[in-house]
Each structure stands twice: as structure tokens, then as C-alpha cells.
Amino acid sequence: NVSDCYCGSCQLIVVSSREFTGLSLLRTSKEKPQYSELSYLVTRQCLQREDLNQLSQYERLKPTALDSFGASVRNVKCLATIKGFFPILQWLPKYSIKNDLFSDMTAGLTVAVLQIPQGMAYGILAGTAANVGLYMAFFHCLVYAVFGTSRHISMGTFAVTSLMTAKIVATYSTVIPTLASNGTDSIVPALTPTESAIYTPIQVATAASFVAGIFYFIMSVARLGILSSLLSEPLVSGFTTAAAVHVMVSQLKDLLGVSIPRYKGTFKVLLSVRDIIDQAPNSNLTAVYTSLVVILFMIFMNEYFKPWLSTKCRFPVPAELMAVVGGTVASYLIGLGPNFDVGLVGLIPTGLPAPQFPPLALIKAVAVDSIAVTIVGYSIVMSMGMIFAQKDNYEVRPNQELVALGFTNIVGSMFSCIPTACSLSRSLIQHQTGGKTQIAAVFSSMIMLVVLLWIGPYFESLPRCVLAGIIVVALKGMLIQVYHIKKFHREGSLELFVWCVTFLSVVIIDIDIGLLIGVVISLISLYVKGWKTYYSLLGTVPDTAIYVDIGSHQRAEELPHIKIFKYTGSINFANKSNFKKALYKETNVLQRPSVSLVPRYNGESTRLQTTKAVIIDLSSVPHIDTAACKMFTEVKTNLEQLSIILLLATPADCVYDALLHAESIGEGGFNIFPTIHDAVIYAQGNESAV
């Protein structure tokens, strides 16, 4: 087949390799040749970049802000926008009652069973009452079902966000003395925003939830959904492992039935461990024995019975609920609270809380502290959402998730809820038990409503050490992430450094400050990785016009009189000196005469004559700035003094535009080519390069 190329200046000949050899192996029209059986021959003029621009009618588009706004307005479709803002309108009309309803009901029932113990445990972990976690299991699941795009994540309490909320509560709430004789906290007075203001823990927690919701809306408007990708895997692993240490230490007092002060700020974990060790001889033996029984029961169920039963039945065993019910019944019959001084969950009111707006003064006070909770909550939601979306082949929209989290937190803040996130364990259960959509969350919410209206008070005699034992066993998955050190060590020293710094900062300093330090270190390591560049000399594979790294490809040959330098990475004011140094080092043009031994593909060596042309391959350079253009001019001038021409090849459009801008301000004057081979042909045909 012979045809004119689109540019009109060359002919494109495409033949089958079998036909090209003259063999009479003709294919029928239905047979498709393999790529390895095709070859091509292109004959055209040698083009510089401006010649190609004329042929392709290249035009740099510079739309004004008004044009961009007008295009955005014209592209708005009201119905599609409304459905995008309320994703439930997209999937609910397509909902299959026959195929999906039973699976969603099963998943919702299973998740609700898990929500009861986790809600109470993490509600107490957040420094609030146990019923707060149950409220979250109702309100948050319903709101997210309307605005969320993930079909499987289970909203509500999460250990890390509960612990971070506890720090905010301890900082800004006015502590009302509790019955320390029951094994609850003996808390030192906390700092209040003002001397006269008195704020309860739930008021502080709801204020943090409201502020987090506002932050989510701001991030959505600013289209900052991509920010979750800034949290690297070493950062998330180190942070969650350290947070698990915080949670573990916070539960030791309930496991032992002792009272210790609640600390804030630096060395909080270390000071708490010191006090626990000092109070260990005063442990409540009944609480210790109860905790030990619960921990052994949960370990047996999680490590042995559940894996065995999973091969027989797809419904998971509600081990946590069994422990809660068993602990409640035993406590009520034996009287663990009044007779053995074991700390109990306490009052769980029936019904739903009345809507109440958080105190305005607290909203300003907790704003800074809520930033870390916002970032962590969004990162966990997006991470789990993307995992399930990839498995089941649907889309999770980052910015819509910000909207969903904004509404979830703001609505929840008016009904005694703390900042939300999705639970890793509950989300996995919802997916594994066959949940298809967020209808499963709706069923789960209805079951939680029954618990809140009628069943809740029956758990008032539940020992706190039972919940502590459940939490400690549940932390296994987060604590064993310490073994990730080996993986990150194999990946590189920067990954290991990020993990270690994040972990130690969170454990020794505090959760929010440690997270900030980890983010900064992670961004610095990302910059360092981007700063590290790769460069090499290119040669051609004989009879192919393909240019490859001569250090990696044994058959590649350098062209006579020509040095082809390939650089990977951005070139800017920060690394322009390194680029110039690498260029001169690899091409060896400053040591005249430039004579070097170059291996050929047959193992022999050949002496190259003096270099006459240097070609810089810019195909892997995503960005250059004005300082880099000036540096190119300096290199061009230095090479011209040595009778060497400088040619630039294969720049991206944005790099080419930067080079043209440099010429407009008096720099540049470069010879720019669309391909390396065009530059080679030009150099070979130039009189000064011969």
C-alpha cells in the first residue's frame, strides 16, 4: 500500500514483512497481520519544529477567564447537575428489588450488629457518651446514602477520628467530675476557651464536626479532592500505626480498672504509660479477669472460629455483639458495678436527640484542631471507596465525596454526633456479605433506630472493660502495620524515613502535630524524588533510526560527530546548574579534542572523531522555566565557540511554547526539531557538522 502522508510532503509505505520479502504468502481480507509482521517506510523532508507547526496548523490556545466561564455556563445541564449533586437519584431508579434487595438487607443487618458494640466503644473513646456512637450509626449512614458515591463504605465511628476528637474534647471541654470509683477517668481540669465559658464534651465534639463539614464544603468548591493523593502510603501506614498505639494506651486504664489523669500535648502517651505502670499494683482484679476473658474470646473467634465458619457460611459471626450481650448479662446478674467497683457504660437515654446547633464560640476555637480530623476522615473514606470501586467497576467521585462528608458532618453535628469517617472492618463486612448499594446502610440505620428507641437502656450495665477488650483486639490490623517497615525499606530509604518520622512524631508529640510533620516530610521526599533526574547518551540501533540509551542497549551505536543527550525531569532555576554539569560531563565537549572509545554491537571499539553537534532530547522534560531557557542560551554560546551546534529535539508543546517565549525576550534562537531523527539528518547535512 502506497499513499500520501497527511502532511503532503512524504509518502507512507506500509507492507507486510512476508510480502516485502517477495514470498507469495497473500492473506485474505479477513486476516489481520500481527504487529511483528508489519514494517513501514516513511519518506519525507527533514522538518524543523516551525515547519511541522505550519503543516499541523499548531495554535497555542489562550482562552480568557470570560471565555472559560462562558464555556462552563454553556456546558451546564440542570438535570445532570442535580443528579450529580444527589447521586441517589442516579442509582435508585435503576435499583433491582429482585436482584439486590435481599443482599442489601443481609448486609445491613450484619453491619448493624457490628455497629452496636463499635458505636458504644468509639463513642466512649472520643470522650463522649456511649450513645453518641449509636447516633452516628443512624444519622451519618442516612445522609451519606443520599450524597455519597461509594456503594459499600459504612459511615459512622472510626477509631482514629474518635481518638483525634478526644484530644479536642480534652482541650476545650470543661470537665465535670465523674465517679472515679467506677473506674472512669479522673481527669485534670481542661483549658477552656474563656474563663467564664463552660462547655460539655458533646458540645465540643459537635462543634468539631460542624467545622469539619464546613472544611469539606470549602475543599469541594475549591476542587481539592485530589489532595487525598498527597497522603503517601508510608505516611498513612506510619500515622495509623501510631494512632493505634494511642488508642491502645487509652484503653489500658479500663482494662486494668484504674484511674489516671488525662494528659494533653507532647509526651501524652509516655506520661500515660508511666501512670498506668505506677497504678498497676492497684488494678481492679475483677476488671482484669473480665478483660482477659473478653480478649481471649475475641482472639479465638477472629483467628480460629470465624475463618473456619467462613468456609461453611457467608454470614460472619457477630463476635463483638456476643461479647457485649454476654458482658451485659453477666454484669447485671453478678452486679459488677456496685459489688466489684467495675466501671460501667452508664446512662443510655432512649429516643433521638433534639436538634441543637453547636456553640458559636466553640466553632472558632476548634477550627485549627479540626483540620487534621478533616484530612484523616476524607483520606480514609476515599481510600476505602476507591478499593471497592475498582473491585466492582464503578466510579467514586472525589469532589462529590467532599460534598457528602460535608453534609454528613454538619447534619450530624446538630444531632449529637462527632466527626465521621468510614470503618474499615464494617465496610469490608458490608462488601463481603453481598451489599450492592447504600440501601444496606439504610437498613442498618433502621435497625439502629430500634436500638436507640427501645434496646439502648439494656446496655447500661455493660462493663467498660468489655468494650476496651473489643477495641484492643480490633487494633491488631493496625498494629501489625509495623511490619511494613521491611517493605518500605526495600522500596527506598525515603519511604522508610517518612514512615519512621511520622510514627515517632505521632507517638511522642501528638496526633495532629505528628500528622503535620508527616505530611511535610512526605512532601519533601516527593520533591526530592522529583529532583532526582535521569540522563544518558543515546545511540541508534543499526538500520532502525531508533535511538536508545547506549548504556543499556548493547547493540546501540553513537553516531559519528554527534552526541545525543537525553534528560528526564523538569529543568528550572533550582537544577539548571546540575543539568549543565551533566550535559558537559556526558558529552565531554569541553575537553577538546573530544575523542572517546565507543563499544559497537559486535564487541569491537571504534574511535569517534571530534564532536560537531549536540542534540538534547527533551521528550521526557515536562516543564522548563525562563531560567532554563537562559541556560540553554549559555550552552549554545559556549558550544558555538567550540564550533559545535546545539539542536533541541522532541519538546512537548508546553516546553516549545516556553522556548518561543524565551526568543521573544531576547533569549533562544534555537534549532528545534519534532523528532531526534530530524535533528540527526539536519546535523549530518549541515556543513559545519561535517
Side-chain angles (χ1 to χ4, degrees):
N1 297 321
V2 181
S3 60
D4 291 336
C5 180
Y6 289 112
C7 66
S9 60
C10 64
Q11 285 187 333
L12 179 64
I13 304 175
V14 182
V15 299
S16 168
S17 60
R18 295 180 181 178
E19 297 165 355
F20 185 73
T21 57
L23 298 177
S24 58
L25 299 176
L26 301 178
R27 295 185 180 86
T28 64
S29 59
K30 295 183 179 180
E31 293 181 345
K32 295 183 179 180
Q34 300 295 325
Y35 287 109
S36 60
E37 299 176 353
L38 294 177
S39 61
Y40 70 90
L41 176 63
V42 176
T43 304
R44 63 172 175 80
Q45 299 174 351
C46 176
L47 300 176
Q48 292 200 34
R49 180 57 190 260
E50 52 266 29
D51 301 326
L52 176 63
N53 290 344
Q54 292 179 2
L55 292 173
S56 64
Q57 297 183 355
Y58 172 72
E59 180 181 1
R60 184 183 179 187
L61 299 177
K62 294 182 179 180
T64 64
L66 184 60
D67 293 336
S68 301
F69 178 77
S72 301
V73 172
R74 288 191 297 270
N75 291 332
V76 170
K77 298 179 180 179
C78 294
L79 184 59
T81 302
I82 294 174
K83 288 184 176 180
F85 192 76
F86 299 96
I88 192 174
L89 299 178
Q90 295 178 331
W91 58 265
L92 188 58
K94 304 176 184 178
Y95 187 80
S96 174
I97 297 178
K98 179 180 178 181
N99 298 327
D100 300 336
L101 184 60
F102 179 75
S103 298
D104 283 337
M105 291 179 62
T106 303
L109 173 62
T110 307
V111 171
V113 169
L114 193 58
Q115 283 269 28
I116 296 172
Q118 286 192 357
M120 292 191 295
Y122 294 141
I124 294 176
L125 178 63
T128 58
N131 57 314
V132 170
L134 302 179
Y135 296 154
M136 296 174 66
F138 176 72
F139 291 103
H140 287 176
C141 289
L142 286 180
V143 177
Y144 183 82
V146 176
F147 295 97
T149 58
S150 175
R151 302 175 187 174
H152 297 98
I153 62 174
S154 175
M155 301 301 294
T157 54
F158 179 59
V160 177
T161 52
S162 295
L163 184 65
M164 299 177 75
T165 303
K167 175 186 178 297
I168 303 175
V169 169
T171 303
Y172 295 100
S173 64
T174 304
V175 177
I176 301 176
T178 57
L179 298 176
S181 60
N182 276 346
T184 54
D185 295 341
S186 174
I187 308 174
V188 296
L191 297 177
T192 56
T194 63
E195 295 182 358
S196 59
I198 298 177
Y199 299 119
T200 62
I202 190 59
Q203 287 179 317
V204 177
T206 55
S209 178
F210 182 83
V211 172
I214 296 298
F215 283 153
Y216 284 128
F217 281 132
I218 294 174
M219 293 171 63
S220 176
V221 172
R223 314 295 291 179
L224 297 180
I226 194 64
L227 285 181
S228 62
S229 61
L230 295 180
L231 301 182
S232 62
E233 184 181 358
L235 169 65
V236 173
S237 176
F239 173 75
T240 52
T241 306
V245 173
H246 276 265
V247 176
M248 173 74 75
V249 172
S250 69
Q251 298 305 302
L252 290 178
K253 63 186 185 320
D254 288 328
L255 293 175
L256 301 178
V258 298
S259 300
I260 63 170
R262 179 180 292 177
Y263 295 98
K264 303 183 298 295
T266 309
F267 307 122
K268 176 176 65 177
V269 171
L270 302 180
L271 294 174
S272 298
V273 172
R274 181 201 63 184
D275 289 346
I276 290 172
I277 294 175
D278 292 340
Q279 292 293 325
N282 303 324
S283 299
N284 186 318
L285 294 181
T286 304
V288 173
Y289 295 148
T290 304
S291 303
L292 185 60
V293 170
V294 172
I295 291 175
L296 292 177
F297 171 76
M298 292 301 303
I299 291 176
F300 171 76
M301 297 297 289
N302 292 340
E303 301 296 328
Y304 300 101
F305 190 72
K306 283 184 178 180
W308 174 80
L309 189 64
S310 64
T311 62
K312 310 294 182 181
C313 177
R314 79 174 195 175
F315 298 102
V317 179
E320 292 84 357
L321 185 62
M322 293 169 62
V324 167
V325 173
T328 304
V329 172
S331 176
Y332 178 78
L333 296 177
I334 301 174
L336 293 182
N339 298 333
F340 297 93
D341 202 24
V342 176
L344 306 179
V345 169
L347 178 65
I348 300 180
T350 58
L352 298 176
Q356 184 178 5
F357 196 81
L360 292 177
L362 270 177
I363 292 176
K364 180 179 180 181
V366 303
V368 176
D369 299 81
S370 301
I371 295 176
V373 182
T374 304
I375 295 174
V376 171
Y378 177 64
S379 302
I380 296 298
V381 168
M382 278 304 302
S383 299
M384 292 301 296
M386 292 299 295
I387 290 174
F388 296 127
Q390 292 174 1
K391 286 183 178 180
D392 288 12
N393 193 28
Y394 64 91
E395 180 186 8
V396 172
R397 292 183 281 133
N399 282 290
Q400 181 60 31
E401 288 299 294
L402 289 171
V403 173
L405 286 172
F407 276 111
T408 302
N409 278 277
I410 289 180
V411 173
S413 69
M414 299 179 184
F415 293 95
S416 300
C417 296
I418 66 175
T420 189
C422 70
S423 167
L424 308 183
S425 59
R426 294 196 308 270
S427 300
L428 288 172
I429 291 297
Q430 182 167 321
H431 183 267
Q432 292 173 357
T433 52
K436 302 295 184 181
T437 66
Q438 283 295 330
I439 293 295
V442 176
F443 278 109
S444 177
S445 299
M446 295 301 102
I447 296 173
M448 295 309 300
L449 180 61
V450 174
V451 174
L452 288 169
L453 293 179
W454 294 288
I455 303 177
Y458 291 101
F459 293 107
E460 291 179 356
S461 58
L462 173 65
R464 292 164 63 99
C465 58
V466 173
L467 295 177
I470 294 174
I471 292 176
V472 167
V473 176
L475 291 175
K476 174 194 171 184
M478 297 172 67
L479 289 174
I480 63 175
Q481 291 180 135
V482 70
Y483 292 109
H484 289 178
I485 292 179
K486 296 181 180 180
K487 181 184 72 172
F488 296 130
H489 178 66
R490 291 193 297 266
E491 291 181 0
S493 56
L494 286 177
E495 285 77 6
L496 178 63
F497 182 71
V498 170
W499 194 98
C500 293
V501 170
T502 304
F503 177 82
L504 294 176
S505 299
V506 173
V507 170
I508 296 176
I509 302 177
D510 209 345
I511 291 181
D512 49 358
I513 302 299
L515 176 61
L516 177 61
I517 293 174
V519 170
V520 172
I521 296 298
S522 181
L523 293 178
I524 291 175
S525 67
L526 183 64
Y527 177 76
V528 170
K529 290 179 184 178
W531 202 6
K532 289 184 178 180
T533 56
Y534 172 78
Y535 53 85
S536 62
L537 284 181
L538 303 185
T540 182
V541 179
D543 303 324
T544 65
I546 297 175
Y547 299 89
V548 293
D549 183 357
I550 61 174
S552 303
H553 300 264
Q554 299 301 315
R555 292 194 63 195
E557 294 180 312
E558 278 195 70
L559 296 174
H561 312 290
I562 300 173
K563 296 285 187 179
I564 306 174
F565 178 75
K566 180 180 179 66
Y567 188 85
T568 302
S570 298
I571 309 175
N572 50 49
F573 69 94
N575 63 358
K576 64 175 183 178
S577 298
N578 293 333
F579 173 88
K580 186 191 301 186
K581 181 179 179 180
L583 174 66
Y584 289 152
K585 176 185 176 182
E586 291 294 316
T587 59
N588 200 27
V589 292
L590 295 185
Q591 300 179 8
R592 302 301 305 267
S594 176
V595 180
S596 60
L597 293 176
V598 179
R600 296 178 63 90
Y601 65 90
N602 58 6
E604 299 177 356
S605 300
T606 182
R607 286 187 174 272
L608 295 184
Q609 299 179 1
T610 305
T611 300
K612 293 295 184 179
V614 172
I615 301 173
I616 300 178
D617 178 11
L618 299 176
S619 59
S620 298
V621 177
H623 170 74
I624 63 174
D625 60 5
T626 304
C629 296
K630 292 182 179 180
M631 181 270 298
F632 282 141
T633 302
E634 295 174 3
V635 172
K636 178 174 176 289
T637 302
N638 293 337
L639 294 180
E640 286 176 348
Q641 294 175 355
L642 300 174
S643 300
I644 300 175
I645 60 173
L646 175 67
L647 308 177
L648 306 180
T650 64
D653 288 343
C654 58
V655 175
Y656 177 74
D657 292 336
L659 294 171
L660 290 185
H661 175 69
E663 292 186 10
S664 67
I665 60 176
E667 302 290 343
F670 307 109
N671 293 312
I672 307 173
F673 298 86
T675 69
I676 297 178
H677 199 59
D678 283 286
V680 169
I681 297 300
Y682 178 86
Q684 291 175 339
N686 191 286
E687 293 182 358
S688 61
V690 177

